[in-house]
Amino acid sequence: MEIQQETSVADSTASSLSETDVGQRPPLLEVRDLTKSFGGLRAVDHCSFQVEQGTITGLIGPNGAGKTTVFNLMTGFIPPDSGRILLGGQDIGHLRPDQIFARGLCRTFQIPREHGTMSVLENLMLVPPGQSGEHWWNALLRPGRVRAEEARHLDKAREVLEYLQLTPVRHEYAANLSGGQKKLLEMGRMLMADPQIVLLDEPAAGVNRTLLQSIVRNIQALSRERGITFLLIEHDMNMVMNLCDPVIVMSEGRKLAEGAPDTVRGDPAVLEAYLGGQYAAAAG
């Protein structure tokens, strides 16, 4: 992947997306009548929504609304009780997390899960799947192939580090990074996988305002320049309203509302339950 190359295939895709009405294309990711219970608690209750290709979609709601559970269902960490999850029209509800990852659906976590005792660069080098060097016989019988593959991954990792402005800390242990830098590292790990769609779980949590601005700029640039689709859970409403379109609101395991930021911001039920008084005056 050439991070700095402006004429890549992904750029062409992003350009075509901007010229086509998003609503006229099949959704990239679709949840249909999804349910999940834990004992007597129904965390996701016949939830349905779509994520259109090329969008930065926000998923909001109070704690306990079922947002993270939906993420865990979509990425195969837990199985659904019923309903369907479609990626590019193909049902992925029965697949393992690694199989879903291989199809281009990646996620981050509210608390980053970096390999703390490895360097930032090494964290990136681990990501590409199916590496020849994972098998001892390739290292023994095909050392040239292994070296060439590692060189390609190293070049790609360096480009990702430069793109995210993490080059100065590339040899630092990941555990020593700040919260914001760890969020950027997670984004870098996703870029190493060339994703179609990225699920971001509270990217603003624990991040100072300067690094948060960098994260927002990177999300916007990756959507615009690379054609990557984003679905993000976030409690920072200023970030959601300025970054996401559309915004989906969940309540008690179901979709409550969906629309453009201004539409959601003006919905009385959403204002009362989720956004608070700071938006009520603007809506009025």
Side-chain angles (χ1 to χ4, degrees):
M1 177 183 66
E2 296 292 336
I3 294 295
Q4 302 296 336
Q5 186 176 346
E6 296 183 356
T7 57
S8 66
V9 173
D11 289 342
S12 299
T13 301
S15 176
S16 65
L17 293 177
S18 65
E19 296 171 0
T20 306
D21 181 6
V22 171
Q24 299 303 312
R25 297 188 309 274
L28 177 59
L29 181 65
E30 184 175 5
V31 169
R32 294 183 184 174
D33 203 31
L34 201 62
T35 65
K36 182 64 183 180
S37 296
F38 300 97
L41 172 66
R42 175 156 288 184
V44 180
D45 187 9
H46 299 282
C47 184
S48 298
F49 63 81
Q50 300 177 351
V51 178
E52 305 291 350
Q53 187 173 357
T55 62
I56 303 173
T57 299
L59 183 62
I60 67 172
N63 291 331
K67 306 181 300 296
T68 296
T69 302
V70 167
F71 266 29
N72 289 335
L73 291 167
M74 290 190 292
T75 50
F77 282 83
I78 55 176
D81 294 335
S82 62
R84 302 182 70 195
I85 304 164
L86 305 176
L87 178 64
Q90 301 296 313
D91 196 328
I92 61 170
H94 60 287
L95 299 180
R96 301 188 310 267
D98 61 302
Q99 294 173 320
I100 294 172
F101 178 83
R103 294 194 180 201
L105 192 157
C106 303
R107 73 167 295 180
T108 66
F109 296 86
Q110 181 179 351
I111 300 174
R113 300 187 178 186
E114 75 285 348
H115 299 283
T117 58
M118 302 180 72
S119 73
V120 171
L121 179 60
E122 289 169 338
N123 268 263
L124 298 185
M125 293 288 287
L126 280 177
V127 174
Q131 298 187 49
S132 299
E134 295 175 355
H135 305 291
W136 65 266
W137 54 85
N138 284 325
L140 180 64
L141 302 175
R142 303 181 180 90
R145 172 182 172 181
V146 172
R147 285 194 299 269
E149 188 179 82
E150 289 184 346
R152 291 195 300 272
H153 293 327
L154 180 60
D155 288 342
K156 183 175 180 179
R158 286 170 172 164
E159 291 172 0
V160 169
L161 290 169
E162 186 68 24
Y163 187 80
L164 298 177
Q165 300 182 351
L166 287 175
T167 300
V169 296
R170 63 190 180 280
H171 297 307
E172 185 66 64
Y173 286 127
N176 295 337
L177 300 181
S178 69
Q181 288 173 325
K182 288 179 179 179
K183 294 290 180 74
L184 287 172
L185 175 57
E186 283 213 330
M187 195 173 296
R189 290 165 66 183
M190 288 181 298
L191 285 175
M192 292 294 292
D194 295 324
Q196 292 188 74
I197 180 170
V198 174
L199 311 185
L200 300 173
D201 194 348
E202 298 201 36
V207 178
N208 67 52
R209 305 312 295 182
T210 299
L211 277 175
L212 179 57
Q213 291 173 2
S214 177
I215 290 171
V216 168
R217 286 194 299 269
N218 278 295
I219 292 171
Q220 292 170 326
L222 291 168
S223 175
R224 180 179 62 251
E225 299 170 7
R226 306 295 149 193
I228 297 175
T229 301
F230 289 90
L231 173 65
L232 64 95
I233 295 172
E234 186 51 63
H235 288 289
D236 186 325
M237 289 299 101
N238 286 323
M239 177 181 175
V240 171
M241 294 300 165
N242 288 296
L243 176 63
C244 301
D245 188 2
V247 176
I248 299 168
V249 185
M250 285 189 66
S251 174
E252 298 179 344
R254 297 189 178 195
K255 184 177 77 172
L256 172 68
E258 179 179 0
D262 287 343
T263 301
V264 170
R265 183 161 44 196
D267 187 307
V270 175
L271 286 169
E272 179 66 23
Y274 308 114
L275 302 184
Q278 61 177 317
Y279 288 98

